[in-house]
Amino acid sequence: MIRRLVLPEGHLGSEEIVVTGPGLHYLSRVLRLAAGEQVELVDGTGLRFLGRLERISKKEALVLVEAPLPGEPAPARPLHLVYGLSRGRRTEWVLQKATELGVDGVALALCERSVKRPGQEPDKLARWREIVAQAGRQCGRARFPRLHPVQPLAGALELPPPGGTRLLAHPGGVPMAEIGAEVQAGAGHTVLAVGPEGGFTEEEAGLARELGFRAVSLGPNTLRTETAAVALLTVAGFLMGRMTGPGERGKR
Ligand code: SAM
C-alpha cells in the first residue's frame, strides 16, 4: 500500500518539494521511506499527486512530483457539524471521529454551558487542525474538513449557507426515526448541532429553531456529547447515501 504524506496547503503546485520539520520526521521516522520509494501527496484541498522520494537526510527530504492522481471533488451535499465546545479530550476525539465519518466542515461553538478557557483558542486551533489533518490522512481523504475558529453558538449556527437540512440534537426533540426519509431526500447542506456536556439551554434551542434547526431525539438514553456527535453523524451520513464503496467517494 502506498504511503501518504500531508503537505501544507499550497505546496502541491511545484515539481520538486523540499520537506522539513514534522513532514520530514513523518517520512523518516514513521513511514521509514527510503530514496526511490513512492509516496502519495495530499494537501487537504482535494488534490492528490504521486511523488517519489529523491533523497532524504537529517535536514531535509526532496520529493519529486511524478503525476496527478484522481482528486477528491467537493461533495454535492456537504455535511457540517456545529459542536458545543467540550473539555479538551472530548473535542479532540469528536474532531477525529467526525473527520473519519466524512464531515466537510466543523464549527466549534461556545455555548452557555461550555467550559470556557479564554485565551487558549489560538493555540488550540492549530492543534485541532493538526488532529483533523492526521485523521484525514489516516482515513484516506484528500479533502479535509474545514475547521472554523471557536465562536459563540449564534455565529456557529449561521456559518453554513441557509437552507438544506438542519438538525439540533436535543432530548425531547422529534425522534430521528421519524425524519429519516426527509434527511434522505434533502438537498444542499446538512447541518448537525450537538451540545456540550451540560447540553443546550432552552434559550439556545429556541435560537436554533429560529435559525431553521429542527430538534431531534437520538433515543431515550442521555448520550455523552461525543457519543451523540458520532451517532448523529453516522445516521445522517447513512441517510445521505455516504456509506458507499471505496471508489465512490466522488458521488456523494
Ligand atoms: N442534561 C443535558 C440535556 O438535557 O441536554 C444532557 C446533555 S448531553 C450529555 C450533551 C448533548 O448530547 C446534548 O446537548 C445533545 O445535543 C446530545 N444528546 C445526548 N443525548 C441525546 C438524545 N438522547 N437525543 C438527542 N440529543 C442527545
Side-chain angles (χ1 to χ4, degrees):
M1 192 179 69
I2 186 153
R3 272 78 58 92
R4 315 179 77 219
L5 176 67
V6 177
L7 297 166
E9 204 176 312
H11 275 54
L12 277 177
S14 43
E15 290 173 3
E16 295 185 354
I17 297 165
V18 176
V19 184
T20 56
L24 175 63
H25 176 85
Y26 188 73
L27 277 179
S28 61
R29 296 289 163 89
V30 182
L31 297 183
R32 298 185 171 275
L33 223 63
E37 289 191 270
Q38 285 185 318
V39 62
E40 184 188 319
L41 306 167
V42 296
D43 69 352
T45 65
L47 297 172
R48 212 190 283 268
F49 281 85
L50 186 64
R52 186 176 296 279
L53 186 61
E54 176 71 3
R55 56 180 152 77
I56 185 161
S57 69
K58 282 189 178 155
K59 228 173 94 197
E60 62 179 36
L62 180 69
V63 177
L64 304 184
V65 180
E66 294 195 319
L69 295 170
E72 187 180 325
R77 248 187 109 176
L79 179 60
H80 192 99
L81 175 70
V82 176
Y83 183 65
L85 192 62
S86 300
R87 280 192 207 97
R89 283 297 151 104
R90 290 207 168 130
T91 299
E92 292 179 5
W93 194 86
V94 165
L95 289 173
Q96 185 190 63
K97 302 307 167 207
T99 302
E100 292 173 30
L101 288 167
V103 80
D104 299 296
V106 181
L108 296 172
L110 261 183
C111 300
E112 288 295 322
R113 295 175 182 153
S114 289
V115 179
K116 296 175 199 165
R117 295 195 200 89
Q120 290 190 357
E121 283 76 25
D123 284 341
K124 286 210 161 171
L125 187 61
R127 166 150 177 75
W128 288 330
R129 288 198 166 131
E130 183 55 29
I131 288 169
V132 166
Q134 281 177 14
R137 181 193 66 221
Q138 175 272 328
C139 73
R141 294 180 66 170
R143 182 180 293 277
F144 299 162
R146 176 148 184 228
L147 178 60
H148 300 272
V150 177
Q151 59 197 289
L153 179 67
L157 291 175
E158 284 191 290
L159 266 179
T165 306
R166 300 165 108 77
L167 307 176
L168 179 95
H170 197 51
V174 55
M176 191 65 198
E178 283 182 19
I179 57 162
E182 199 182 305
V183 177
Q184 203 165 9
H189 273 72
T190 300
V191 188
L192 311 174
V194 175
E197 292 98 330
F200 291 118
T201 62
E202 283 315 310
E203 289 72 28
E204 289 173 327
L207 168 75
R209 263 193 300 277
E210 281 169 26
L211 293 172
F213 283 78
R214 176 101 67 97
V216 288
S217 164
L218 299 170
N221 299 340
T222 302
L223 308 177
R224 284 180 185 266
T225 166
E226 65 272 33
T227 313
V230 166
L232 190 53
L233 281 164
T234 305
V235 173
F238 171 73
L239 291 169
M240 291 164 69
R242 285 175 165 231
M243 296 197 174
T244 56
E248 297 175 273
R249 201 186 279 279
K251 291 186 185 169
R252 52 199 180 102

